[in-house]
Amino acid sequence: MWTPWTPPWSPLTLVPALQKMGELPLDINIQEPRWDQSTFLGRARHFFTVTDPRNLLLSGAQLEASRNIVQNYRAGVVTPGLTEDQLWRAKYVYDSAFHPDTGEKVVLIGRMSAQVPMNMTITGCMLTFYRQTPTVVFWQWVNQSFNAIVNYSNRSGDAPITGGQLGTAYVSATTGAVATALGLKSLTKHLPPLVGRFVPFAAVAAANCINIPLMRQRELQVGIPVTDEQGQRLGHSVAAAKQGIFQVVTSRICMAIPAMAIPPVIMDTLEKKDFLKRRPWLGAPLQVGLVGFCLVFATPLCCALFPQRSSIHVSRLEPELRAQIHEQNPSIEAVYYNKGL
């Protein structure tokens, strides 16, 4: 008889029979990631867990079980027989599927765990169908539509995105990406074919430079919350918002480089071989597979380039906020903020 497959990272995994039963302490800080976020390795381990595509295979019952474990623990109630490892698994499953501010379940393709499978498909197709204008326009539109869903699904509760802002960012990024792709496509007509393969990357980079600042324009207008080292809110800073957005744009562009630079070189070589000449239908799936392999590593590693809880020196803040902080606590030299993803 067939039984449903339960992933090993599921919070429903049974406690081993030989494990000593004991009450789990309530002093485990599951508000923060499990690993040290001051080091690149710690941040990388965190994002490898957050972006794990296997989280998409979890059932609704498993997601609800994770939510109950996390919410009960935060309320001071420990699930009987729960181990620390199971608590952390539940926390990461919960974080992968539910919005941190609203508590709503995020639409499937908007979750961070969907980044690799969705991007490998879209990017692979952009790199495969780059020769004809209609396909260039179509796949750039698909890519920006996906980005809009991701940006909306992972919006900040402190800086909600209005329908008008979402529409402006979506139209502007799509227009910028298509214009860049078509403009560079026409300029590379007389250049070696390999050069033309990099046009999609230039379009994606241009779209990121447009999409992210527009999607977070409210932060550039009113600032983002900044706190002291203990998490006490000190005010809002536009300077911190600019630094955070720059870090996110840099990470997104770096994330695209391996997936959009390595496969074109490999495919340009393979397409000259008799094997692919006799089997041209293999081109698209092979390209998607190469992109996926690159993204499995590039996505978490590039998310880890900058700390999620970044810092900025007080001297770089706005004069009014700087004066306010010095008045409250002259010993504070740096403040902290959430840079976003």
Side-chain angles (χ1 to χ4, degrees):
M1 179 179 177
W2 179 84
T3 56
W5 174 67
T6 301
W9 63 92
S10 167
L12 300 181
T13 304
L14 295 176
V15 180
L18 297 178
Q19 180 182 334
K20 293 181 179 180
M21 301 297 290
E23 190 76 7
L24 194 67
L26 289 169
D27 59 354
I28 300 173
N29 185 12
I30 59 172
Q31 296 296 115
E32 300 291 334
R34 186 173 191 176
W35 298 281
D36 182 7
Q37 296 299 285
S38 65
T39 67
F40 177 76
L41 180 60
R43 296 194 297 271
R45 294 183 70 181
H46 166 69
F47 281 109
F48 266 109
T49 306
V50 169
T51 61
D52 189 343
R54 294 176 298 177
N55 287 332
L56 296 174
L57 302 176
L58 295 172
S59 68
Q62 289 170 316
L63 295 179
E64 288 300 323
S66 295
R67 175 157 69 172
N68 291 336
I69 289 173
V70 171
Q71 291 182 342
N72 288 343
Y73 187 83
R74 287 173 176 169
V77 179
V78 180
T79 303
L82 186 70
T83 67
E84 184 174 350
D85 281 343
Q86 288 175 323
L87 174 63
W88 282 111
R89 287 175 190 140
K91 177 236 180 345
Y92 275 106
V93 168
Y94 173 78
D95 289 349
S96 74
F98 295 91
H99 193 278
D101 295 318
T102 65
E104 298 174 350
K105 187 182 292 186
V106 176
V107 63
L108 192 70
I109 64 172
R111 301 173 191 172
M112 287 303 293
S113 49
Q115 285 288 298
V116 171
M118 289 299 298
N119 274 323
M120 68 180 281
T121 303
I122 295 171
T123 304
C125 289
M126 282 196 295
L127 293 175
T128 302
F129 307 110
Y130 67 94
R131 293 183 176 91
Q132 302 297 322
T133 298
T135 55
V136 169
V137 173
F138 175 76
W139 285 108
Q140 290 295 338
W141 168 74
V142 170
N143 186 45
Q144 293 312 315
S145 299
F146 170 64
N147 285 340
I149 294 172
V150 171
N151 289 329
Y152 179 77
S153 300
N154 295 279
R155 65 196 183 280
S156 169
D158 282 327
I161 303 170
T162 67
Q165 290 172 332
L166 187 66
T168 300
Y170 173 63
V171 173
S172 301
T174 303
T175 302
V178 171
T180 302
L182 295 181
L184 291 177
K185 180 176 176 292
S186 64
L187 292 174
T188 57
K189 282 183 178 179
H190 305 294
L191 296 176
L194 179 60
V195 177
R197 289 180 179 272
F198 292 98
V199 168
F201 168 69
V204 167
N208 278 328
C209 293
I210 298 170
N211 195 345
I212 297 171
L214 283 174
M215 197 65 71
R216 297 174 62 174
Q217 59 185 286
R218 186 174 183 274
E219 299 175 25
L220 294 173
Q221 295 167 354
V222 302
I224 57 175
V226 294
T227 68
D228 59 18
E229 196 169 2
Q230 286 71 43
Q232 186 70 31
R233 185 171 293 193
L234 301 171
H236 288 73
S237 170
V238 172
K242 290 178 180 178
Q243 179 173 293
I245 291 172
F246 173 78
Q247 290 174 344
V248 172
V249 170
T250 302
S251 295
R252 294 279 189 96
I253 293 175
C254 290
M255 199 183 298
I257 290 176
M260 303 192 79
I262 297 174
V265 175
I266 296 175
M267 291 302 298
D268 188 66
T269 302
L270 292 179
E271 286 180 357
K272 296 174 184 176
K273 306 292 184 183
D274 290 339
F275 179 79
L276 270 189
K277 286 181 178 178
R278 292 196 301 267
R279 303 170 182 84
W281 55 271
L282 276 176
L286 185 57
Q287 185 112 253
V288 170
L290 288 170
V291 169
F293 178 79
C294 293
L295 285 174
V296 164
F297 299 97
T299 300
L301 292 178
C302 291
C303 283
L305 287 176
F306 304 100
Q308 188 65 35
R309 186 173 182 244
S310 293
S311 63
I312 183 172
H313 200 276
V314 172
S315 63
R316 297 180 56 192
L317 300 175
E318 294 80 356
E320 299 82 4
L321 180 58
R322 188 166 61 239
Q324 178 184 324
I325 292 173
H326 281 155
E327 183 179 344
Q328 293 177 356
N329 190 342
S331 63
I332 295 180
E333 295 184 355
V335 295
Y336 300 85
Y337 61 92
N338 180 6
K339 72 173 178 64
L341 283 173

